[in-house]
């Protein structure tokens, strides 16, 4: 298994998570209540367990040092890409809301929470969901597993595999009691799973264009979460949002198919 990280990572990543999440899924208490919170956090550590564990065993200190550098070195990210990381999802969500309103799909696509920035409690909770959890995810899922996939496969194949594994990991969140109680997000598997795969293809592009930066994909992921919850996207919007994500993913696949991105740093 150590010599085959493409197989070892999903086995450890999913196996560790589901081992601890089964008691939560069988419980009728909120995921945020004790002891469910403990089981949830232990299972949620699976990206770190799989990523750092396999990196330590397979590559030792050198590979762990490489992960740390890619997580902390902000200089890997070109200046123009900071704008993309911080504002892409804001522009995308506002554009999708405008189109949805013009087409009559949602009369009130957004209910922006301006009071969020003056209420420290909900802001702290949203900060944890938006930034801390993605930090745990991205180190292993992208820093280790996506890197291993890209060394063997094209960006398209690597993104699809990485996204499918990520989607399977997220599937139980739909059934965790009370997980989304303090948010406006209420996912359904039929649109959320393919959306996660589309997001992964975008993350692969960001990763390749920022010199394999884990920090870049972490910020990109976190801003997606934060922007959506701050804007309070209407639940009726999310199936329509999948359309926009599919369109972006298809454009990206066409770009890769043309061979214009012949290397990781050609964007």
């Amino acid at each position: 298994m150590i010599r085959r990280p493409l197989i070892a990572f999903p086995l450890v990543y999913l196996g560790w998570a589901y081992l601890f999440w089964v008691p939560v899924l069988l419980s009728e208490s909120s995921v945020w209540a004790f002891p469910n919170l403990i089981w949830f956090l232990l299972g949620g550590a699976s990206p770190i367990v799989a990523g750092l564990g396999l990196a330590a065993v397979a590559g030792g200190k050198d590979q762990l040092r490489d992960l740390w550098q890619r997580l902390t070195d902000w200089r890997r990210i070109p200046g123009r890409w900071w704008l993309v990381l911080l504002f892409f999802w804001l522009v995308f969500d506002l554009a999708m809301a405008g189109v949805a309103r013009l087409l009559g799909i949602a009369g009130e696509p957004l209910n922006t929470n301006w009071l969020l920035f003056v209420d420290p409690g909900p802001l702290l909770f949203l900060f944890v969901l938006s930034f801390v959890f993605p930090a745990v995810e991205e180190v292993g899922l992208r820093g280790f597993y996506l890197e291993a996939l890209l060394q063997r496969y094209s960006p398209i194949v690597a993104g699809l595999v990485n996204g499918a594994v990520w989607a399977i990991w997220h599937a139980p969140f739909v059934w965790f009691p009370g997980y989304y109680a303090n948010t406006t997000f209420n996912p359904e598997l039929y649109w959320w799973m393919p959306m996660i795969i589309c997001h992964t293809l975008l993350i692969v592009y960001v990763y390749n264009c920022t010199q394999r930066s884990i920090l870049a994909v972490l910020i990109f992921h976190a801003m997606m979460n934060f922007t959506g919850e701050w804007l309070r996207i209407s639940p009726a919007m999310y199936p329509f949002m999948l359309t926009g994500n599919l369109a972006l993913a298809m454009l990206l696949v066409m770009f890769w198919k043309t061979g214009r991105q012949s290397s990781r740093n050609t964007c």
Side-chain angles (χ1 to χ4, degrees), residues 18 54 71 75 104 116 151 155-156 169 180 216 230:
Y18 277 65
L54 291 172
L71 176 63
R75 292 168 298 184
L116 181 67
Q151 289 178 8
I156 299 172
W169 187 84
Y180 293 107
W230 168 49

Side-chain angles (χ1 to χ4, degrees), residues 200-218:
T200 306
L201 291 173
L202 296 177
I203 286 172
V204 172
Y205 186 66
V206 171
Y207 182 83
N208 283 344
C209 292
T210 56
Q211 303 179 67
R212 303 161 52 240
S213 172
I214 302 172
L215 178 62
V217 295
L218 190 164

Side-chain angles (χ1 to χ4, degrees), residues 138-182:
E138 296 300 331
V139 171
L141 188 65
R142 250 65 81 162
F144 179 84
Y145 189 44
L146 178 60
E147 178 66 21
L149 287 166
L150 286 169
Q151 289 178 8
R152 182 166 181 177
Y153 300 112
S154 68
I156 299 172
V157 174
L160 292 175
V161 173
N162 193 260
V165 172
W166 193 26
I168 294 171
W169 187 84
H170 272 92
F173 284 53
V174 173
W175 297 291
F176 284 149
Y179 183 80
Y180 293 107
N182 295 318

Side-chain angles (χ1 to χ4, degrees), residues 2-266:
I2 293 172
R3 290 193 294 268
R4 296 176 179 173
L6 302 187
I7 298 175
F9 182 88
L11 289 177
V12 178
Y13 173 64
L14 297 175
W16 177 282
Y18 277 65
L19 175 66
F20 290 103
W21 287 348
V22 167
V24 183
L25 293 170
L26 296 178
S27 172
E28 295 181 357
S29 301
S30 170
V31 67
W32 305 113
F34 184 84
N36 282 351
L37 179 60
I38 303 301
W39 303 130
F40 171 71
L41 293 177
L42 285 172
S46 72
I48 292 289
V49 172
L52 295 187
L54 291 172
V57 174
K61 291 182 179 180
D62 290 340
Q63 192 162 357
L64 290 174
R65 188 180 301 111
D66 176 66
L67 287 173
W68 176 252
Q69 290 175 346
R70 291 190 287 125
L71 176 63
T72 58
D73 187 4
W74 56 270
R75 292 168 298 184
R76 286 176 173 266
I77 307 172
R80 66 184 183 277
W81 273 93
W82 283 102
L83 295 175
V84 175
L85 301 179
L86 295 174
F87 298 109
F88 173 85
W89 292 111
L90 177 61
V91 173
F92 176 77
D93 290 346
L94 290 176
M96 292 298 295
V99 173
R101 188 158 189 174
L102 285 174
L103 296 178
I105 294 172
E108 294 293 335
L110 304 176
N111 182 24
T112 306
N113 184 13
W114 296 105
L115 295 177
L116 181 67
F117 298 100
V118 296
D119 193 343
L123 182 60
L124 178 61
F125 179 77
L126 181 56
F127 179 83
V128 170
L129 285 182
S130 299
F131 288 88
V132 176
F133 289 172
V136 173
E137 290 185 77
E138 296 300 331
V139 171
L141 188 65
R142 250 65 81 162
F144 179 84
Y145 189 44
L146 178 60
E147 178 66 21
L149 287 166
L150 286 169
Q151 289 178 8
R152 182 166 181 177
Y153 300 112
S154 68
I156 299 172
V157 174
L160 292 175
V161 173
N162 193 260
V165 172
W166 193 26
I168 294 171
W169 187 84
H170 272 92
F173 284 53
V174 173
W175 297 291
F176 284 149
Y179 183 80
Y180 293 107
N182 295 318
T183 73
T184 60
F185 192 55
N186 187 25
E188 297 287 347
L189 291 181
Y190 78 91
W191 57 259
W192 195 34
M193 297 295 99
M195 190 178 292
I196 287 175
I197 296 175
C198 292
H199 289 166
T200 306
L201 291 173
L202 296 177
I203 286 172
V204 172
Y205 186 66
V206 171
Y207 182 83
N208 283 344
C209 292
T210 56
Q211 303 179 67
R212 303 161 52 240
S213 172
I214 302 172
L215 178 62
V217 295
L218 190 164
I219 295 172
F220 189 70
H221 180 178
M223 290 306 298
M224 174 182 65
N225 294 348
F226 184 86
T227 302
E229 193 57 33
W230 168 49
L231 293 177
R232 286 188 173 180
I233 299 173
S234 166
M237 277 285 295
Y238 280 105
F240 177 68
M241 296 288 282
L242 174 60
T243 305
N245 280 276
L246 284 172
L248 285 177
M250 290 176 63
L251 287 173
L252 192 53
V253 168
M254 291 173 62
F255 174 73
W256 278 326
K257 284 290 189 179
T258 62
R260 292 176 62 187
Q261 191 180 45
S262 56
S263 69
R264 289 190 175 190
N265 296 322
T266 305

